[in-house]
C-alpha cells in the first residue's frame, strides 16, 4: 500500500497540485479580511470572521476542489492505456482504489489545515483581542473534512468511470451549485450530500454535538452516503474493463 501511495503522490506532484490546495484557504483569507463589523458588537469577533469565511468556502470551494482532486488522480490512467499498465503490476484493484481515495482525503485534510491557518491569520492581521475559540474552530475544520468522505467517494467513482477530465467535474458542479439553495431547505438540506460540508462547518449549530450536527444526521447522511458511494465505486472498479 505504501508503494502505491508513493506512486500516486509522485504522479500528483506533476499535476500542479499546490496551487489547488492553496486556492480555498486564500479565498477564505480574502473574505475574512474583507469582513467588517461594528466595534460595539458584543460578540467574539472570531465567530463573525469564521461564519463569513465558512459560507463560501464550505458551500462552493471545498466540494469543487475535492472533485478536481478526484479527476486529477485518475488523469494519467486514462491516457495511453494507463489503466492496463498500472494493473499489470503486482497490485490488486482494491488497493489501487483505496490508495487513490486515501491520498485525496489527505490532500483535503492538508487544505483544511491551511484554511485553519488562514482563519488565524485573519485575526492576527485585523488585531483581534478576543480569545481564539479553539474547540469550535477544530470542530469546524475536521467536521468539514469528515463531510467530504462521501463526496470524494462519489467523485472518485465518476473519475474512474469517465475518461474525460471535464465529465466528472461537470457532474460535481451540477450538484454543488444547487447546494446554495438546498442549504436553506429544512426538508431537503439535511439529506443533500453536497451541503453537508456547510452544515458540518457551520458554527451556528449546537456546540454540544459532535460536529454541530445531530448524531443521527451524521451517521445516516454522511456515513450512509459514504458507504453507498465507496462500495459502489469499489465494486465498479473491480469489474471495470481495461
Amino acid at each position: 500500500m505504501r508503494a502505491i501511495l508513493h506512486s500516486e503522490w509522485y504522479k500528483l506532484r506533476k499535476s500542479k497540485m499546490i496551487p489547488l490546495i492553496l486556492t480555498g484557504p486564500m479565498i477564505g483569507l480574502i473574505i475574512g479580511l474583507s469582513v467588517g463589523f461594528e466595534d460595539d458588537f458584543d460578540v467574539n469577533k472570531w465567530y463573525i470572521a469564521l461564519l463569513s469565511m465558512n459560507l463560501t468556502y464550505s458551500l462552493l470551494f471545498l466540494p469543487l476542489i475535492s472533485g478536481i482532486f478526484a479527476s486529477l488522480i485518475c488523469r494519467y490512467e486514462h491516457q495511453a492505456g494507463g489503466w492496463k499498465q498500472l494493473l499489470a503490476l503486482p497490485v490488486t484493484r482494491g488497493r489501487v482504489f483505496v490508495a487513490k481515495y486515501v491520498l485525496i482525503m489527505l490532500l483535503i485534510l492538508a487544505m483544511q489545515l491551511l484554511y485553519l491557518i488562514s482563519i488565524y491569520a485573519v485575526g492576527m492581521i485585523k488585531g483581534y483581542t478576543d480569545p481564539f475559540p479553539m474547540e469550535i474552530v477544530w470542530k469546524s475544520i475536521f467536521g468539514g473534512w469528515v463531510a467530504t468522505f462521501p463526496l470524494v467517494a462519489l467523485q472518485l467513482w465518476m473519475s474512474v468511470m469517465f475518461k474525460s477530465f471535464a465529465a466528472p467535474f461537470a457532474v460535481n458542479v451540477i450538484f454543488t451549485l444547487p447546494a446554495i439553495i438546498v442549504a436553506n431547505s429544512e426538508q431537503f438540506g439535511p439529506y443533500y450530500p453536497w451541503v453537508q460540508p456547510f452544515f458540518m462547518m457551520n458554527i451556528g449549530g449546537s456546540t454540544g454535538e459532535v460536529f454541530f450536527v445531530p448524531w443521527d444526521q451524521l451517521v445516516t447522511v454522511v456515513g450512509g452516503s459514504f458507504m453507498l458511494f465507496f462500495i459502489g465505486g469499489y465494486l465498479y472498479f473491480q469489474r471495470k474493463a481495461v
Side-chain angles (χ1 to χ4, degrees):
M1 181 63 73
R2 289 183 60 185
I4 301 174
L5 286 170
H6 185 269
S7 174
E8 294 296 334
W9 170 243
Y10 179 80
K11 288 184 288 186
L12 280 178
R13 284 195 307 171
K14 304 296 183 180
S15 303
K16 299 180 180 180
M17 191 64 61
I18 300 301
L20 284 174
I21 295 176
L22 293 175
T23 299
M26 287 300 298
I27 295 295
L29 179 65
I30 294 171
I31 294 174
L33 293 175
S34 64
V35 173
F37 44 81
E38 299 295 333
D39 292 335
D40 58 351
F41 232 27
D42 188 20
V43 66
N44 190 320
K45 295 181 176 62
W46 291 101
Y47 295 166
I48 301 175
L50 193 58
L51 281 168
S52 303
M53 295 169 67
N54 283 353
L55 180 62
T56 303
Y57 176 81
S58 61
L59 271 177
L60 293 177
F61 287 98
L62 184 54
L64 290 176
I65 294 177
S66 65
I68 296 176
F69 288 160
S71 296
L72 286 175
I73 205 168
C74 294
R75 187 179 66 170
Y76 285 101
E77 282 75 19
H78 284 308
Q79 297 174 351
W83 286 119
K84 290 183 179 180
Q85 297 176 33
L86 175 61
L87 298 177
L89 299 174
V91 295
T92 64
R93 294 193 179 203
R95 288 188 176 183
V96 170
F97 186 85
V98 172
K100 287 180 178 292
Y101 180 84
V102 168
L103 186 55
I104 297 172
M105 294 310 307
L106 291 176
L107 290 172
I108 296 175
L109 178 60
M111 186 172 69
Q112 287 291 91
L113 295 176
L114 290 172
Y115 179 65
L116 169 61
I117 294 174
S118 71
I119 294 171
Y120 192 76
V122 167
M124 293 298 99
I125 295 173
K126 303 187 77 169
Y128 292 168
T129 58
D130 295 324
F132 184 69
M134 180 62 73
E135 181 181 358
I136 290 178
V137 172
W138 276 113
K139 278 189 175 185
S140 180
I141 295 297
F142 280 99
W145 182 61
V146 170
T148 62
F149 274 51
L151 294 182
V152 170
L154 176 61
Q155 290 157 359
L156 180 58
W157 184 359
M158 295 295 102
S159 297
V160 169
M161 182 182 301
F162 296 112
K163 292 184 178 181
S164 170
F165 174 88
F169 181 70
V171 172
N172 190 32
V173 171
I174 289 172
F175 286 100
T176 297
L177 294 180
I180 302 174
I181 300 175
V182 177
N184 296 313
S185 172
E186 295 182 0
Q187 184 177 3
F188 299 105
Y191 306 102
Y192 193 66
W194 281 264
V195 84
Q196 296 309 308
F198 169 72
F199 286 147
M200 301 278 270
M201 296 185 71
N202 180 25
I203 67 173
S206 172
T207 56
E209 300 290 352
V210 179
F211 291 121
F212 308 118
V213 298
W215 176 251
D216 56 346
Q217 180 179 332
L218 175 64
V219 173
T220 57
V221 180
V222 178
S225 56
F226 164 71
M227 293 298 295
L228 176 64
F229 297 149
F230 186 85
I231 293 174
Y234 185 92
L235 294 178
Y236 173 82
F237 186 61
Q238 292 284 7
R239 295 169 172 78
K240 177 180 172 63
V242 295

